[in-house]
């Protein structure tokens, strides 16, 4: 079971990520993290007739690869927690229609992967799930059509804009055993700094990342140097700078911050403006880059702090501001000699 300290759940016996998989599209295959993906496709339609159906295939491939790596099947999964950026989480819904796993859909925008890991860890720790699938996805073309302008319009992207990843990440959680441990989870509080620019998600989300990290540090009495890295996702280059400035205003200078949106692509070579974003961005970076480092032991302890902008296409058109949330997961390298 977990103990609660402020906004943070601390697991005395950490649940583990027993297996994971990342799937990406063409642009992800051209980026600096390409070698870490389990599967990449040069066809962003993934053989489907629509972008929306393509994203469903993204999730299915990630889920099936994750289960294959865990040497298990859909029948052995107690519950799936999944989400995406499509209205009503339709990519996840249709993927689960095929997989047939007990399912609860989540929407935390780009924070969905951390939300799924946090809720999944709590369920596993309480003995309510054994074999829990946590995953998230996004697709550049579905997101542009839904939140901004269809690609055929040829709209000019602003310097603060981010590139929604065509990617998915999936993790299989178990209450115990061999794997990266989930030591703690801090569920965030919604923050709103009255940002209204749909092309500047980093500015909208940075306050949420700052607030959740501060709550975690106060709850646990940890310090930033205790960690090999503090990964945010997905603030991009603009949001990452604002994140560091907000923390500096609180007297906290962090030197080990890495943003998933800044490392998924090469901003100088891939024309992604401020970097990557989307629910699949930090999910894929987690599964293709962060978890392998922990498994190899090149990193021992990290924070995974995923952020999400919580507007809809309706609230944006109504000129509402953009609230945001960030959820934090503390991850630790596998313990030597842990039971498999």
């Amino acid at each position: 079971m977990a103990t609660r300290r402020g906004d943070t759940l601390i697991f005395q016996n950490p649940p583990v990520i027993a297996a994971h998989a990342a799937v990406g599209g063409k642009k992800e295959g051209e980026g600096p993290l390409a070698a870490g993906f389990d599967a990449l496709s040069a066809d962003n339609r993934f053989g489907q007739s629509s972008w929306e159906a393509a994203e469903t295939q993204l999730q299915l491939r990630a889920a099936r690869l994750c289960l294959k790596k865990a040497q298990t099947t859909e029948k052995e999964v107690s519950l799936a927690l999944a989400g995406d950026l499509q209205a009503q989480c339709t990519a996840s819904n249709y993927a689960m229609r095929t997989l047939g796993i007990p399912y609860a859909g989540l929407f935390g925008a780009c924070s969905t992967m951390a939300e799924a890991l946090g809720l999944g860890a709590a369920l596993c720790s309480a003995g309510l799930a054994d074999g829990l699938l946590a995953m998230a996805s996004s697709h550049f073309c579905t997101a542009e059509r839904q939140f901004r302008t269809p690609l055929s319009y040829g709209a000019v992207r602003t310097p603060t804009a981010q590139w929604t990843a065509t990617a998915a990440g999936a993790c299989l959680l178990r209450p115990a055993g061999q794997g990266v441990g989930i030591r703690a989870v801090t569920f965030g509080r919604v923050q709103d700094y009255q940002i209204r620019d749909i092309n500047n998600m980093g500015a909208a989300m940075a306050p949420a990342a700052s607030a959740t990290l501060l709550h975690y540090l106060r709850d646990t009495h940890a310090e930033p140097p205790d960690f090999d890295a503090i990964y945010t996702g997905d603030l991009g280059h603009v949001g990452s700078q604002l994140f560091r400035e907000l923390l500096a205003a609180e007297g906290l200078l962090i030197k080990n911050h890495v943003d998933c949106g800044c490392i998924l692509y090469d901003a100088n070579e891939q024309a992604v403006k401020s970097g990557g974003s989307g629910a699949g961005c930090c999910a894929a970076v987690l599964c293709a880059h962060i978890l392998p480092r922990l498994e190899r032991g090149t990193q021992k302890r990290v924070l995974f702090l995923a952020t999400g902008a919580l507007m809809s296409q309706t609230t944006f058109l109504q000129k509402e501001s953009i609230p945001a949330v960030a959820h934090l997961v503390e991850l630790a390298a596998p313990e030597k000699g842990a039971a498999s």
Side-chain angles (χ1 to χ4, degrees):
M1 293 290 289
T3 57
R4 187 177 184 97
R5 194 178 299 167
D7 290 350
T8 303
L9 300 178
I10 299 172
F11 301 105
Q12 302 302 325
N13 297 302
V16 299
I17 299 173
H20 52 87
V23 178
K26 184 176 186 296
K27 205 173 192 75
E28 293 68 34
E30 298 167 347
L33 302 186
F37 280 77
D38 295 277
L40 291 161
S41 175
D43 170 23
N44 281 342
R45 284 189 183 269
F46 291 84
Q48 304 302 304
S49 60
S50 71
W51 305 122
E52 288 74 17
E55 188 173 349
T56 295
Q57 287 301 309
L58 262 176
Q59 282 215 20
L60 284 171
R61 289 191 187 185
R64 286 166 171 163
L65 283 167
C66 179
L67 295 177
K68 182 178 181 180
K69 291 168 74 173
Q71 298 182 329
T72 190
T73 66
E74 293 92 329
K75 294 180 180 179
E76 303 301 317
V77 178
S78 303
L79 178 67
L81 300 175
D84 55 85
L85 300 183
Q86 291 187 39
Q88 296 178 265
C89 294
T90 48
S92 304
N93 298 343
Y94 291 165
M96 291 304 154
R97 176 180 65 181
T98 298
L99 291 173
I101 298 170
Y103 160 61
L106 303 179
F107 181 79
C110 300
S111 71
T112 298
M113 192 63 185
E115 181 183 9
L117 287 177
L119 291 171
L123 288 167
C124 286
S125 177
L128 302 177
D130 182 5
L132 184 146
L133 197 61
M135 63 182 188
S137 70
S138 57
H139 193 295
F140 175 76
C141 299
T142 65
E144 290 298 306
R145 173 150 58 196
Q146 179 168 283
F147 288 107
R148 282 173 281 270
T149 57
L151 300 183
S152 56
Y153 283 17
V156 177
R157 300 175 64 79
T158 68
T160 59
Q162 293 170 247
W163 188 277
T164 304
T166 299
C171 293
L172 184 70
L173 275 59
R174 295 197 184 282
Q178 184 64 27
V180 171
I182 301 176
R183 287 187 174 179
V185 175
T186 303
F187 291 109
R189 303 172 185 230
V190 174
Q191 307 291 315
D192 191 336
Y193 275 45
Q194 298 299 302
I195 303 297
R196 288 179 167 80
D197 184 357
I198 197 73
N199 291 303
N200 194 356
M201 294 292 99
M205 297 188 295
S210 172
T212 299
L213 178 60
L214 290 170
H215 274 113
Y216 166 82
L217 295 175
R218 290 165 185 161
D219 293 344
T220 62
H221 305 295
E223 299 289 341
D226 295 339
F227 305 94
D228 294 297
I230 297 173
Y231 291 98
T232 55
D234 312 298
L235 299 176
H237 296 284
V238 172
S240 293
Q241 181 60 35
L242 291 170
F243 171 66
R244 290 188 288 267
E245 290 175 3
L246 288 167
L247 292 175
E250 297 289 334
L252 196 64
L253 299 176
I254 59 171
K255 299 180 180 179
N256 53 349
H257 169 234
V258 181
D259 185 71
C260 297
C262 294
I263 64 174
L264 180 59
Y265 304 116
D266 183 332
N268 294 323
E269 299 294 331
Q270 293 188 278
V272 293
K273 301 299 183 180
S274 186
S277 69
C281 179
C282 67
V285 173
L286 172 72
C287 296
H289 180 72
I290 300 171
L291 293 176
R293 286 189 163 202
L294 289 165
E295 289 169 340
R296 291 193 299 266
T298 54
Q299 291 185 334
K300 300 294 186 183
R301 188 183 181 199
V302 306
L303 297 180
F304 178 62
L305 176 57
T307 54
L310 303 180
M311 81 294 176
S312 73
Q313 58 270 57
T314 302
T315 58
F316 161 62
L317 293 172
Q318 292 170 342
K319 309 301 181 184
E320 262 278 12
S321 57
I322 302 172
V325 72
H327 304 301
L328 180 151
V329 181
E330 180 187 337
L331 300 171
E335 295 184 8
K336 294 182 178 179
S340 59

